[in-house]
């Protein structure tokens, strides 16, 4: 806390409120943490995605593959540039994009793919990169929820052409307002993104490109730079919380955890739960680590019942426990996209009716975790 106050006073006294030395310091620290050459501080995770697409020249007539089961910004950034988001179904095990479905939706107009690393866990990046290579697609990793998580020991965001992070206060590295970061190993793309961040001007007031104002505040960068060395510690506590939930809940009647090695047998293609399952716990997939930005369970509704997920959420709230739905409407069903050709994403439809995220933040105490478990047990019995 004292460190935040000291840093704030220093930035206020400096009079440098946008970009500048504190931003460059934070960019260097983050690039080193992720293992990339370039990090470009921006105004939000949304703007990081937009800037990446702009730097890659995505626009009118282009198609971009992206999951339907994600936060709106992933597809919103594509549509704002006049390109078409092509919605891909989810894996019923990880809830990340289903690369087989992405492959079926490639057309001659497809220019890029945006794998989202949902809830703090990597999408199937080996398959995404193989698909991108086969069809010559650019890859923008939406790592807004997954800064610090890895896939095959590489930090997420460092695998594709670009990686985008968000420091929205609910992310694992939460800021004190809106902020984001774009990373890349490509020198030319980094230069272009830096220029586009300041209205495409280089030098100042001379514009060869049309960019925007995507700048990060110095105060955000300075405060986030104080937090960054603690990030792996926050992850560790989230992991322990997740482990505790799994330990307390697995093995109870009706509670199942999807088994990655049995993924072809255990869960049907449309994502419907196995027989008798009432609550499905999240699964950690192999060859990656999970930073648990969310601990998201699926609450299964039986035939003739009202939505059990909504009932559990109301039950938890009654017990003073916050539980959120990420996300209640898949993007292919959003009103703003209804003029587009209908997309077939049955797993996303199932997930949207069933997912519920339980409290997982690092500061949770053992007795608070027990309260959540107790409330779940009283609901399930
Ligand atoms: C939070 C988030 C974003 C957007 O980040 P903002 O900083 O809120 O603009 C984009 N994609 C995903 C998956 C997110 O979770």
């Amino acid at each position: 806390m004292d460190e935040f106050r000291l840093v704030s006073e220093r930035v206020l006294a400096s009079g440098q409120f946008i970009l500048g030395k504190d931003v460059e310091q934070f960019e260097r620290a983050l690039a080193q943490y992720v293992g990339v050459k370039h990090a470009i501080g921006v105004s939000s995770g949304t703007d990081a995605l937009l800037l990446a697409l702009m730097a890659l020249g995505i626009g009118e007539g282009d198609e971009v593959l992206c999951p339907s089961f994600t936060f709106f910004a992933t597809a919103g950034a594509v549509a704002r540039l006049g390109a078409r988001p092509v919605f891909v179904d989810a894996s019923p095990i990880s809830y990340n994009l289903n690369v087989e479905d992405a492959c079926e939706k490639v057309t001659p107009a497809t220019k890029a793919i945006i794998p989202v690393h949902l809830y703090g866990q990597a999408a199937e990046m080996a398959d995404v990169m193989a698909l991108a290579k086969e069809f010559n697609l650019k890859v923008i990793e939406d790592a807004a929820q997954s800064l610090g998580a890895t896939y095959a020991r590489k930090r997420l965001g460092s695998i594709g052409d670009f990686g985008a992070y968000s420091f929205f206060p609910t992310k694992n590295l939460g800021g004190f307002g809106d902020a984001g970061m774009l990373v890349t190993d490509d020198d030319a793309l980094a230069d272009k993104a830096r220029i586009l961040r300041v209205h495409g001007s280089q030098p100042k007031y001379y514009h060869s490109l049309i960019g925007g104002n995507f700048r990060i505040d110095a105060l955000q960068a300075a405060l986030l730079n104080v937090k960054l060395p603690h990030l792996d510690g926050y992850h560790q506590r989230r992991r322990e919380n997740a482990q505790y939930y799994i330990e307390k809940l697995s093995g109870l009647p009706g509670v199942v955890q999807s088994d990655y090695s049995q993924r072809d047998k255990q869960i049907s293609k449309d994502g419907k739960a196995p027989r008798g399952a009432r609550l499905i716990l999240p699964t950690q997939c192999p060859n990656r680590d999970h930073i648990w930005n969310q601990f998201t369970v699926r609450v299964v509704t039986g035939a003739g019942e009202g939505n059990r997920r909504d009932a559990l959420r109301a039950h938890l709230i009654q017990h003073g426990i916050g539980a959120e739905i990420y996300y209640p409407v898949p993007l292919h069903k959003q009103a703003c996209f209804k003029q587009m050709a209908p997309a077939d994403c049955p797993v996303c439809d199932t997930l949207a009716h069933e997912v519920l995220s339980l409290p997982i933040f690092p500061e949770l105490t053992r007795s608070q975790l027990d309260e959540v478990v107790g409330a779940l047990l009283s609901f399930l019995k």
Side-chain angles (χ1 to χ4, degrees):
M1 210 55 214
D2 277 352
E3 215 176 335
F4 290 142
R5 191 158 293 129
L6 279 173
V7 159
S8 309
E9 282 169 10
R10 184 173 53 66
V11 173
L12 294 188
S14 79
Q16 169 88 48
F17 297 129
I18 295 169
L19 300 180
K21 210 173 83 252
D22 280 293
V23 168
E24 284 159 25
Q25 231 168 53
F26 180 49
E27 288 175 340
R28 272 197 301 278
L30 193 120
Q32 192 180 21
Y33 176 79
V34 174
V36 289
K37 275 166 83 178
H38 306 283
I40 300 149
V42 292
S43 26
S44 67
T46 303
D47 285 343
L49 292 166
L50 190 64
L51 192 53
L53 290 160
M54 288 172 81
L56 291 169
I58 305 288
E60 203 94 27
D62 296 334
E63 292 180 3
V64 178
L65 297 161
C66 66
S68 173
F69 194 63
T70 176
F71 179 59
F72 180 77
T74 314
V78 173
R80 284 166 66 188
L81 292 171
R84 197 162 85 88
V86 173
F87 293 116
V88 176
D89 206 5
S91 146
I93 304 275
S94 69
Y95 317 149
N96 275 313
L97 104 171
N98 175 335
V99 184
E100 266 173 55
D101 188 49
C103 186
E104 281 170 26
K105 290 171 176 169
V106 171
T107 76
T110 311
K111 291 288 156 58
I113 181 167
I114 310 182
V116 178
H117 307 303
L118 200 65
Y119 302 150
Q121 174 164 247
E124 211 55 74
M125 282 309 286
D127 296 348
V128 170
M129 297 310 286
L131 178 82
K133 194 162 176 220
E134 185 179 349
F135 295 101
N136 194 24
L137 309 179
K138 299 296 181 187
V139 178
I140 301 168
E141 296 179 68
D142 181 343
Q145 302 179 7
S146 295
L147 170 60
T150 60
Y151 181 90
R153 286 196 285 281
K154 280 192 176 149
R155 297 265 201 219
L156 302 184
S158 71
I159 303 166
D161 296 279
F162 273 118
Y165 307 107
S166 164
F167 308 119
F168 186 80
T170 60
K171 312 292 171 161
N172 282 28
L173 185 62
F176 301 78
D178 277 314
M181 190 74 79
L182 185 62
V183 298
T184 182
D185 267 325
D186 186 302
D187 300 342
L189 284 177
D191 279 350
K192 193 169 175 195
R194 280 214 170 81
I195 293 167
L196 288 166
R197 174 172 68 172
V198 289
H199 293 290
S201 94
Q202 194 200 43
K204 210 171 182 183
Y205 307 124
Y206 291 79
H207 302 260
S208 53
L209 299 167
I210 302 172
N213 173 2
F214 303 128
R215 297 176 303 235
I216 187 174
D217 293 343
L219 190 58
Q220 285 303 334
L223 292 169
L224 285 162
N225 213 10
V226 172
K227 277 186 139 185
L228 182 59
H230 303 288
L231 182 58
D232 288 339
Y234 305 151
H235 294 338
Q236 188 49 34
R237 267 172 275 150
R238 285 173 182 269
R239 267 185 212 113
E240 285 161 13
N241 294 345
Q243 204 43 52
Y244 192 71
Y245 280 139
I246 290 168
E247 218 176 272
K248 291 284 167 188
L249 295 169
S250 55
L252 296 175
V255 178
V256 303
Q257 188 172 28
S258 319
D259 181 351
Y260 184 87
S261 66
Q262 300 287 308
R263 62 193 176 283
D264 295 329
K265 294 179 216 138
Q266 203 184 35
I267 296 212
S268 63
K269 279 253 184 275
D270 60 2
K272 291 277 187 294
R275 263 183 105 77
R278 305 293 286 153
L279 189 82
I280 304 177
L281 299 174
T283 299
Q284 171 145 19
C285 300
N287 203 22
R288 70 204 80 182
D289 64 359
H290 200 320
I291 59 161
W292 300 101
N293 178 246
Q294 300 297 340
F295 186 90
T296 304
V297 298
R298 288 174 56 187
V299 190
V300 182
T301 299
E305 288 182 315
N307 187 309
R308 293 286 288 168
R309 184 270 312 274
D310 294 344
L312 174 56
R313 180 163 188 249
H315 177 82
L316 292 174
I317 287 170
Q318 215 170 45
H319 285 74
I321 297 161
E324 285 296 336
I325 301 167
Y326 306 107
Y327 299 92
V329 182
L331 298 187
H332 72 287
K333 292 279 172 69
Q334 293 289 351
C336 65
F337 294 131
K338 72 172 181 290
Q339 79 289 358
M340 290 182 19
D344 190 30
C345 300
V347 177
C348 300
D349 294 327
T350 303
L351 293 175
H353 280 106
E354 294 185 349
V355 290
L356 190 66
S357 297
L358 305 178
I360 188 76
F361 53 89
E363 298 82 4
L364 278 173
T365 63
R366 188 50 62 96
S367 75
Q368 286 173 317
L369 289 165
D370 284 331
E371 270 178 55
V372 178
V373 171
L376 277 167
L377 293 182
S378 66
F379 180 83
L380 286 171
K381 76 162 194 281

